[in-house]
Every structure is written in C-alpha cells, then in structure tokens.
Amino acid sequence: MLVGLPPPFSPPDRPVPDALAGASSHGYNCRCVAAHFGLDPAPYGELPACSLTDAEYQELAGEAVEIQREAKRLAAARDIGGAQRLYGRMRQIAQRLDRSDFELAAVSDLATVCYSAGDLRNARQCAEAVLAAFEVGAAAAVHFGQYAELRTMEGSREVADRVLISLSTEDGEIARARELIAGQRHRAALRKAAGPEQYPPELLDPHGTDELELRILEVRVQVAAGDPAGALTALDEILSTPACDHAPSLKAMAQAERARLRRAGGQDADARADLLRLTTDHPAKYAVDLATDRALAGDFPGAVAAIVAARDDLATAGASGDVAEASHALGTLLLLAGDARQARDQFEHAGKIWTAHEDTPGLRRLDVALARCAAADGDWTTAEEHATRAWESARASGEWLECLHTDFVAATIGYARGDDLRALLDLLLPLALAAADYRFEFASPRARTAWARDVAGPATELVMALLMRLREPRLAAELVERTCAVGAYTEGPALELTGTVPPLEGAPDGDRLPLAALGSVTASLPLRLAPPPALRWSPASPMELDRWLDIAAERYSLPPKETPVVRTWPATARETFLLRYADAGHTYLTWRTTGDLDDVHTHPVDAALVATAREYLDAASPTPHEGESVPDAVGRALSAFAGEQRLARVLGLNLLPADLVARLREAAAGGRRPLLRVQPSPSLAAVPWALLALPDRRPDRVLEPGEESSCFDGDERVLDVADVSLLAPVGIPRRPPAPPGPPVYLLDPRIPGQSAFGELGSVLGKQDPASPLIRHLDARIAEGAVRPAAARGLDLVRRTDTDRRLLARLLAGPCSRLVYAGHVSRVRDEHGAQTALHLSCAADLPGTAEPIGAHRPFTAADLALSEVDAMPARVALIGCASASDFGLPEPFGVLLAAVAAGARLVAATLWALPTSAAVPGADPMAELVIAVDTALAGDDPVGELCAWQRTRLARWRERAEPARSPVFWAALTCLDASDDGQTWVR
C-alpha cells in the first residue's frame, strides 16, 4: 500500500545512482514508490513504512509536526533539555515513517539548539549529518521524481548550513563562512525565481526573515574578521528594518549581538539597555551580563549571588554553554577582587564545558584567564604557557582583534615579569598603534570613546610607560604628537569640510543646500573623528613611528590609508616653543622649539599632580559646583590675590618641567619674547597657561598645601616672559579663509524665549551711547563699513535677527574678522558632545541640537554642515568656555570648527565668564570685547592680546580687587594657526 506523499506518474527509467548504493535510508516515498512500480526493493533497503495504513501514517505525521512545534517553543524558552527530548521523539517517528524530511528537520533543529546551548561539538555533528543525509535524500528524490519531498528537505539544509556558518565563524574560517552565506543567498534567489508554483511559501522568505538572519550572521563574520565598528553599524541598521517586527527571536538575536559588542567596546550603558530588553524573555541567560554591571556599580556580593542563581537556572535548562559563560563571568569578578584561587576554579569549570563542546574560542578565553590568574600569583612560567597557547590559537584563527588581545595579555605579563624591554616594545608598540587607529572605524562617538578608554587607552598607557623606562623620548614624543593630531571631518563624499553640499532634489545641478534645509541631512551625515594623517617630524627628519606603523598594518591586517603628509611644526621666524600634552594614565608632555625641532624633551606628569592641579583650578573657576548658585560661584572665583597666586604656583609646579622653565627664561633674556604654543590634553583643557607661575627651584619631597611658596622667589608668570597661544590638531582639514573685507559683529544676540535677566539673557548688560563698547563700535563704523550694516554702535548689540541664516549671508562675501560675544554651551546629541553658539535662532530652524524652548543652538556640526563658505582669517568667540574643545571626548567644538572652515586665528575663553553685573561700577566684559576686536584688527593679534593681559596682570598685582580679577581676563586665549600652513582637505 502507498500512503503519504503522492507517487510519480511513471517509474524511474535509469539505474539506481551510486549515491544510493548501500544506503539504508533514503526517504519513505522513494522506497515505497519502488514497491509501487514493482521494482526490486532490495537496493533501497527495508520498507517498514509501507505496511502502515493511511490513517496510521497521517496520525504519526501529525504528531511529528506538533512535537516539532512544541520543541521549538521549548528551545526559544531556553528549556534545552526539554527540546532535545522532544526532538528525539520526533526522530523516532521519522524513522518509523521512513521520512527523511522529518528526520532532517529534527536533526537540523537539534543543531541549532546545541549551538545556542554552547555545545559546539554536537552542533557540528548534527549539521554535518544533515548535509550528508540531504545529498543522499536529494539523489533519491530526484531518482524517483519526488520533488515535493526534496523541497521540504531544503529548509532543513538551510538551517544546518546556518549553524555551520556560525561554527566556521567561531573557528575563524572567515572565507568558508562567507562562502556558505553566498551559497544560501544564491539558492534563495533560485527559489524565488521558480516561484510559488515550485516551492511552498515558507521557502520563499515572504517577510525577509531568512535574509535578516543571514545579515546577523554576516555581522558575526565582520566581528571575526576584525571589524566590530562595521558590525555595530550593521546591527543598528538591522534593528531598524521592518523584518525585525516579524521575527522577535531574530530581533533578540541582533540585540544580544549588539549588547555583546557594546560591552566589549566599553559602551556599558547602551549594552545594559539592550540586555534589559532581552531579560524579559530570557532572564537567566542575560542576568549574568547584568550582574557584571552590578559589580561595576560596587555591589560585588549581589553580583556574585545573581550569577550563581542564573547559572543554576541555566544548568537546569540544559544550557551548558551559558553555564560556562556564567562560570567565566564569575571567575572574572573574583580575579578583579584579588581572589585568584577561586577565580581559577571558576575558569576551569568553564573550561571543562568548552573542552567537551570543542569550543576553540572558549578555550582561548580560558587560556587568557588562566594566564592572568597565574600572573596574579607570580607564577610566570604557567602564565607564559597559557598566554602562548592563547596567542597560537589567535594566530590560527586569523582574527586580528583576537591576535591584538592575546598580544596585549602577553605584553602585560612580560612587563610585570620584567622581560626584555626591547622585545616587549617590538610586541607592544605596533599593537598600541593598531588599537589607536582602529578607533576611527566606529561611526558612533560613544563607541569611539569607549574603544579608546577600554582598548586603545590601556595599550597606550603601557607603551608610554615602557618608552619612559627605555629612555626613548623621541618615540614617546612622536606618539604624543600622533595622539594630538586627530581631527574631525564630515562623513560622506558630499559633505566634507570644504562646504560642498548635495544639491536639492529637483534643483539645478550645482545648487547648494540652503541652511534652512540642513535638518534633512544631519542625521545621515554625522561628524566623524578622523585618524591622524601621515606626519613629518621636521624638515630634516621623518617620523620614526612610520616603520612601526608599517609593522602594525602588516601584523594586524589594517587597511591602507592614503593621506597627505602634514608637518607637525609651524613655519615661523620667531622662536616658538611647541608643547603638546596627552593623557595616557599619567599625562605626558613633549616640547621642542622651532629653533631645533629635532631636540625633543618628553616628561611624564604624574596623574596625582594633574589631579591636584585640576582640583585647584576647579576651586577657582566661576562655574557653579553642585548645589552652588551662580552668584556664590562668582563670589568664590573673585578671590583675593593670595588665592590666585597659589593657584598659579601649584599649576606651574605641577605642569611645567624645570628644563622648559629654564629654556623659556633663557629665550626671553635674548630681548624678544618667545611664543609658547600649547595643545592641552583633555584633563588640562581649562588651564590658563599664560597665568602659570615659573618656579625658581624644585621641591625634594611632596609638598603640603601652602608650602609651594618655598619654590618661588617672586611672582614671575609665563605671561611675563612669553606670548602664549594654543595649537590646533594638525589632522583637522582646513580651507583657505575668506578674502579680506568689513568686520562682522554678532554681539549679545537676543535669544528667543529668554529674558534679558534669565539663564540665557544678556551678557553685556544694558548699553547706552556713552558706554565704552558703544563708543568703540561707533569709531569702527566711522572708519568704514561693518556688517550687519549699522548707522551707530547700538544697532550692533542685542539684535533679534542674529540667527544662522544671517550668519551665512554675512559670511558669503569678503570679511576680515568675525567678533561674537554671547552665550556658548556644551550640547550632546547623536554627533557626540560639542559646543554651540546661542544665536537668535528660533526652534523651527533645523539643526543638530535639540531646541531649548523656542530656541535652537547653533552647534559645531551645524557650522561644518552648513553653507557657510569660509570663515574670515580672524575670529573671536567670546563666551562661556568657548575654547573648551580640547576637553571634549572628541575635540571638535565651535573653536576647531571655525579653524576647519578657514579661520587662522580664533580668540576664545577657557571658562565661564561672569557678566559685568558681578562687579557694579565696572564693565570688564566690555573691556574684553574691545581688547579682542582691537587686537584682531592689528598686525600681531597674539602679541597684542598678551600685551593687554600683561597690563591687566599689572593692575591686579597693584590692587587685588574684584573688577581687576583674572577671572575676567585670564580666560582669554588664542588658537593661532596662521603659520601652520595646513590648507588641505580630506
């Protein structure tokens, strides 16, 4: 009797193919069809299913379908043991029915279940068995014309194939994984071309879920190939696709991948958000990751208890791979707590499971963990054995990020053990360079910052400490200069900092995108931080790091980068000191002079000294502390002379090395003040370098508070011996400035929705025709045209039309300088932290910052993406901390955006400026604006502003009263790029 699937209309007209020779199972229909046509059944094996009645067959077949449905539900609920038992029953039914398609469905699902449980060995066996059986079953189906059965088996082959894609990725077989993905897509295309007449709907991927799963698998391949940045971007795109709504399990899969990548990159808050969404359906599986957050927050006992409880639940469910992950997480916490013995026990428990599962990446993690345990105990021989095994496994995998990770473990062990320092440098320096450069592959600012903090940062800290021990000041200095060289740019060929913008849809070719349409492009074209360009150390010397960069690119398979060679020094006849600071655990200073660029000086500044300097600076800043009112903060900052002098002395002692101080004094003694140009690190961004006191001697011990005066004979400041300005990062692309023309004034713009006395109120206070600032502006108008056009100085202050549209119009023509005085603040959005000007912009004007009531700030990103052709050569941005770009996680605010847009010199302020209301009867804010405008109109703006500050310092020394306080004038600084010669475009 023939039951089940329908038979073909005619018997096979050719011999049994070789693929079926000796096979004991090649499909119920095939064997029963042989009997149906009177063929010899011997070549096809036993035929027990042919004795079933149609009712018996249908009952068993229906049971198999229900069992599979329930098994899938249990697997999704992480009841691994229950799912495996049901699939075992399904296989029994399939064998009784002689249904290869049922058998393959059960085994392919088992492969997925085993993989999700971390049982890689059984997952591989199941997947490979499916593919082998498919070949035999397919040959039998074709031989007997049972194409319906063949099509039902195809789905099982695709499921098994995806398990093998994952396993190939785990093993580092990137080419094989990509080949399997391409094969899946090719077969899917053939099925879709054949259409529903040939294939059931579920094999035609009607909702795109099969392609969605392939995209997630591709993400894993990207990570294995060393591109977590690209993987994160791809996951963000995947999670925004409509297909995710049709496949909750795949959405969870993508979120889990993103959480893992975010955590690995240090984006803890974002990873936690993904995990919290996942714990609703799988509380035990993701409780382990969330417990790690509890430990980082200080709840170590709670974290340990949560991991142990989750591990018990996972063990009950049969999720042995997750149990191993829990034991590894527990071991990591114990090792961080200093309990190497118990940590080792947990790692070894995880290792037993990984060994049973033949989990090569897991065993590599085990070796890394055990190496750290051994190093914590001082067992260097065992530590080296484990580190070497992990290193060899990483090299065999071909995953360069794994190689980098294991190299760093080996380097840290070698450094702690006291290995040959030169050999460690050969290992560590290319690693640190590769890690630092990879940061720029991430599209998200948070991801770049996290990578720098958790991956590139530790490597750079260790290599800088090593270079100090090796007495390699030149290599250390080059590494500092390379760190300081990074710059921002806009992503995409259409919106670079050249100001070139895409045409409007339907507009004539070449039409520029108006500022009013800016909001339509900002989301898809964020600002990016660019890697350093190729650098030149001096006219006589290339960078010694170039050789190490080549090694890093070769060792870690970094893509080649074609950038112009940019010099790291200004072309100036005046003796100029170049100071660059970089934070790497401690803060490192490198300095040299344009008179002898190859004579380099490198100094570590202890992190404790930097912290002390920051504490003193914070105490003196008028920025309100937590719970402090603005008037109280200003009153605290307007301190007496002794307090300000102590600040200057502490900063000078902690941040200026003796050789630099001696050389500055020697240069000043020659008759002309030298120029001191500084590029601060983020930790030192608010330091008023000109105000620092020059020590006469160094202490021989750690000083107690108040003892710093013993190192000074007088009150000589940097400003007394040198002119001071800031250095711009050499990696920022810069356009030529606007041609000379009338000055542009944006003075105290009225901000929509803000009163004159509110938080964003007037910074200049009430002005009248007799006010010094108005008389100054009247004189400028008498000298010639100004913009916006005005008949009197009062017409330039507190205007209501000073918005981004007016700014674009004012800068569309020739312009000699731009003077802005108003509010500047820090904003945070999808482009990362940046600074913004508060113009008279209404909230309905598009931009990258969120509105503040009826007002939208004008950010650095807005400036970079807008139609402003070029900034004038000289710009003043007088506002609260307008020079704070160097303190941002990624140094790009309005200060550096102006430089990128063409400004050669930008006057700005380091901290929040009190308004003139803080000192009744005086107008220090107006004095500052007048001094800046006068200097920018002169031949030597830096020299003139420093000379003005010297007059302010003399007045302060003469009588220390609030109206003369450095709080008003010492914040002023200039970023001088006039002689850098950088007019290249990325």
Side-chain angles (χ1 to χ4, degrees):
M1 179 183 296
L2 184 66
V3 297
L5 295 173
F9 293 111
S10 56
D13 58 359
R14 49 190 178 277
V16 177
D18 292 339
L20 303 184
S24 61
S25 175
H26 25 80
Y28 155 71
N29 267 322
C30 298
R31 281 172 282 155
C32 291
V33 168
H36 176 73
F37 284 113
L39 303 176
D40 180 8
Y44 308 106
E46 299 296 327
L47 307 175
C50 290
S51 63
L52 293 173
T53 66
D54 189 62
E56 290 171 331
Y57 175 89
Q58 296 298 343
E59 182 180 355
L60 287 172
E63 183 181 351
V65 171
E66 287 301 318
I67 286 174
Q68 184 183 28
R69 183 178 295 113
E70 177 63 13
K72 286 179 178 289
R73 187 191 67 77
L74 292 178
R78 303 296 294 169
D79 184 353
I80 306 302
Q84 289 174 330
R85 286 189 293 273
L86 286 180
Y87 281 124
R89 170 62 181 155
M90 182 179 172
R91 292 186 67 189
Q92 291 175 349
I93 294 174
Q95 290 162 9
R96 188 174 177 191
L97 293 173
D98 288 320
R99 282 289 297 268
S100 294
D101 56 338
F102 281 4
E103 174 82 1
L104 294 186
V107 178
S108 63
D109 283 358
L110 270 173
T112 301
V113 169
C114 290
Y115 179 79
S116 69
D119 187 351
L120 304 190
R121 180 176 61 83
N122 282 322
R124 187 184 305 278
Q125 288 181 352
C126 289
E128 290 176 346
V130 168
L131 296 188
F134 177 83
E135 295 300 323
V136 177
V142 171
H143 178 67
F144 287 105
Q146 293 301 298
Y147 295 106
E149 186 171 11
L150 173 61
R151 289 162 190 151
T152 61
M153 288 190 292
E154 275 206 46
S156 299
R157 175 178 63 171
E158 303 301 340
V159 170
D161 224 21
R162 287 171 197 162
V163 172
L164 290 177
I165 291 169
S166 296
L167 291 169
S168 298
T169 305
E170 297 267 1
D171 292 340
E173 298 176 1
I174 307 302
R176 174 62 176 154
R178 286 175 172 157
E179 179 185 343
L180 290 170
I181 290 172
Q184 289 237 332
R185 287 199 168 113
H186 175 68
R187 293 191 295 273
L190 292 178
R191 288 194 294 271
K192 287 183 178 180
E197 295 80 9
Q198 296 292 324
Y199 288 93
E202 62 269 17
L203 284 178
L204 299 179
D205 195 19
H207 299 299
T209 54
D210 291 341
E211 173 59 22
L212 181 65
E213 186 173 355
L214 288 179
R215 289 177 65 187
I216 296 173
L217 293 175
E218 276 186 318
V219 164
R220 292 176 174 172
V221 173
Q222 272 184 285
V223 176
D227 185 17
L232 267 177
T233 301
L235 283 168
D236 289 339
E237 294 172 355
I238 287 169
L239 286 166
S240 66
T241 59
C244 274
D245 298 331
H246 297 284
S249 62
L250 291 179
K251 185 174 185 178
M253 181 178 171
Q255 282 180 331
E257 289 293 325
R258 188 169 68 176
R260 183 172 64 86
L261 284 175
R262 283 173 163 177
R263 182 178 295 283
Q267 293 177 262
D268 297 329
D270 293 329
R272 188 181 308 113
D274 278 330
L275 291 171
L276 286 170
R277 284 189 285 268
L278 291 165
T279 50
T280 302
D281 297 322
H282 307 300
K285 178 176 175 60
Y286 299 108
V288 174
D289 296 296
L290 288 173
T292 304
D293 288 329
R294 292 180 66 175
L296 293 174
D299 183 9
F300 183 81
V304 170
I307 292 176
V308 171
R311 185 172 63 179
D312 291 343
D313 292 340
L314 293 166
T316 301
S320 54
D322 292 336
V323 170
E325 292 293 335
S327 292
H328 183 271
L330 188 55
T332 300
L333 291 186
L334 291 167
L335 186 58
L336 288 173
D339 192 342
R341 182 184 61 79
Q342 288 200 58
R344 186 182 298 106
D345 292 342
Q346 297 301 322
F347 291 138
E348 288 175 346
H349 177 255
K352 290 176 182 177
I353 298 173
W354 286 331
T355 300
H357 291 173
E358 298 180 1
D359 186 343
T360 301
L363 292 173
R364 184 161 57 242
R365 293 168 64 199
L366 173 66
D367 275 317
V368 169
L370 292 178
R372 286 178 167 152
C373 286
D377 288 339
D379 184 356
W380 303 116
T381 301
T382 302
E384 183 177 21
E385 289 173 357
H386 286 296
T388 300
R389 190 155 50 239
W391 182 89
E392 291 171 347
S393 174
R395 287 295 184 276
S397 75
E399 300 178 26
W400 78 263
L401 282 176
E402 286 293 324
C403 296
L404 187 148
H405 178 62
T406 54
D407 283 350
F408 184 65
V409 171
T412 54
I413 291 172
Y415 188 82
R417 184 174 55 183
D419 286 357
D420 178 74
L421 298 184
R422 289 290 167 186
L424 283 175
L425 185 65
D426 291 341
L427 176 64
L428 190 56
L429 185 51
L431 180 160
L433 291 169
D437 271 14
Y438 190 76
R439 168 191 181 188
F440 309 105
E441 298 299 321
F442 290 93
S444 161
R446 287 189 296 274
R448 290 194 295 272
T449 302
W451 178 271
R453 182 186 67 233
D454 297 328
V455 181
T460 302
E461 287 180 27
L462 187 56
V463 80
M464 288 300 294
L466 180 59
L467 290 171
M468 291 295 99
R469 288 184 60 184
L470 284 169
R471 293 183 173 85
E472 286 280 2
R474 170 68 179 268
L475 275 177
E478 289 191 13
L479 196 56
V480 169
E481 296 219 0
R482 199 165 190 277
T483 300
C484 291
V486 298
Y489 68 105
T490 44
E491 189 179 37
L495 272 176
E496 295 179 351
L497 291 181
T498 57
T500 304
V501 290
L504 284 170
E505 185 177 352
D509 290 344
D511 275 13
R512 300 172 60 76
L513 184 70
L515 252 172
L518 181 60
S520 65
V521 298
T522 53
S524 60
L525 292 163
L527 289 172
R528 288 285 298 271
L529 195 67
L535 302 177
R536 179 82 184 179
W537 178 258
S538 73
S541 178
M543 299 285 283
E544 292 182 5
L545 277 181
D546 288 347
R547 177 175 69 87
W548 297 94
L549 286 165
D550 291 339
I551 295 172
E554 180 180 357
R555 184 177 296 173
Y556 299 108
S557 303
L558 298 180
K561 294 182 175 67
E562 297 295 330
T563 60
V565 178
V566 179
R567 68 175 187 238
T568 58
W569 70 96
T572 176
R574 183 179 181 184
E575 184 170 16
T576 302
F577 288 70
L578 308 175
L579 280 66
R580 290 184 172 95
Y581 291 82
D583 297 327
H586 299 302
T587 296
Y588 293 87
L589 159 67
T590 175
W591 72 270
R592 51 187 178 141
T593 72
T594 52
D596 188 357
L597 290 166
D598 291 309
D599 181 19
V600 64
H601 304 260
T602 307
H603 300 275
V605 184
D606 191 276
L609 296 180
V610 173
T612 299
R614 286 171 60 89
E615 287 174 8
Y616 273 78
L617 193 57
D618 183 60
S621 169
T623 301
H625 298 163
E626 185 175 356
E628 185 180 32
S629 68
V630 172
D632 288 345
V634 172
R636 170 178 47 76
L638 297 176
S639 58
F641 176 72
E644 184 278 327
Q645 188 182 64
R646 184 169 61 252
L647 168 67
R649 287 177 170 179
V650 170
L651 293 177
L653 275 172
N654 290 358
L655 303 180
L656 300 179
D659 58 351
L660 173 62
V661 172
R663 185 69 184 83
L664 274 173
R665 283 178 164 145
E666 178 187 337
R672 185 185 181 189
R673 287 188 179 88
L675 179 60
L676 184 71
R677 298 184 62 185
V678 185
Q679 186 176 346
S681 67
S683 66
L684 303 176
V687 171
W689 300 97
L691 206 61
L692 270 55
L694 298 178
D696 295 295
R697 64 191 66 84
R698 295 283 159 173
D700 55 4
R701 59 180 175 81
V702 177
L703 297 177
E704 296 295 328
E707 290 186 333
E708 59 277 344
S709 60
S710 63
C711 300
F712 296 85
D713 294 332
D715 185 39
E716 189 173 46
R717 310 293 182 96
V718 170
L719 189 61
D720 291 317
V721 300
D723 290 336
V724 185
S725 65
L726 296 177
L727 272 168
V730 299
I732 291 185
R734 306 173 201 176
R735 286 175 283 153
V744 169
Y745 293 101
L746 308 176
L747 302 177
D748 205 4
R750 290 182 187 268
I751 299 172
Q754 302 290 325
S755 75
F757 306 102
E759 186 176 349
L760 292 177
S762 175
V763 300
L764 293 176
K766 184 173 178 58
Q767 299 290 315
D768 58 54
S771 300
L773 176 59
I774 301 305
R775 292 201 305 270
H776 170 81
L777 294 173
D778 287 338
R780 289 297 186 209
I781 293 171
E783 293 171 1
V786 300
R787 291 207 297 262
R792 56 182 189 147
L794 274 175
D795 296 335
L796 294 172
V797 178
R798 296 293 287 166
R799 296 174 66 108
T800 59
D801 63 345
T802 312
D803 61 13
R804 60 195 70 196
R805 296 170 300 187
L806 177 65
L807 175 62
R809 291 198 299 271
L810 294 176
L811 296 182
C815 176
S816 62
R817 66 187 182 276
L818 166 67
V819 179
Y820 170 82
H823 288 283
V824 178
S825 66
R826 182 177 296 194
V827 298
R828 183 177 294 276
D829 55 22
E830 67 270 22
H831 308 297
Q834 54 183 301
T835 49
L837 305 179
H838 290 275
L839 304 174
S840 302
C841 299
D844 59 357
L845 287 176
T848 58
E850 289 297 320
I852 301 173
H855 162 65
R856 191 187 299 275
F858 182 67
T859 68
D862 294 338
L863 175 57
L865 297 170
S866 72
E867 68 170 358
V868 172
D869 287 302
M871 280 286 181
R874 296 175 180 180
V875 173
L877 301 174
I878 303 171
C880 296
S882 56
S884 65
D885 291 33
F886 295 104
L888 299 172
E890 297 193 346
F892 196 78
V894 290
L895 175 74
L896 295 178
V899 172
R904 289 292 171 264
L905 184 141
V906 185
T909 53
L910 294 167
W911 55 70
L913 294 175
T915 65
S916 298
V919 281
D923 199 351
M925 181 67 78
E927 291 179 4
L928 185 68
V929 174
I930 294 169
V932 170
D933 185 44
T934 301
L936 264 57
D939 295 330
D940 179 15
V942 171
E944 291 188 32
L945 281 175
C946 287
W948 177 78
Q949 286 181 313
R950 276 188 283 274
T951 66
R952 304 298 98 178
L953 178 59
R955 291 177 63 208
W956 172 245
R957 284 166 169 164
E958 177 185 286
R959 187 168 67 253
E961 61 184 18
R964 300 182 177 190
S965 172
V967 166
F968 292 104
W969 53 265
L972 183 64
T973 188
C974 280
L975 190 148
D976 184 7
S978 57
D979 51 9
D980 286 357
Q982 310 294 352
T983 56
W984 63 288
V985 175
R986 192 176 306 280

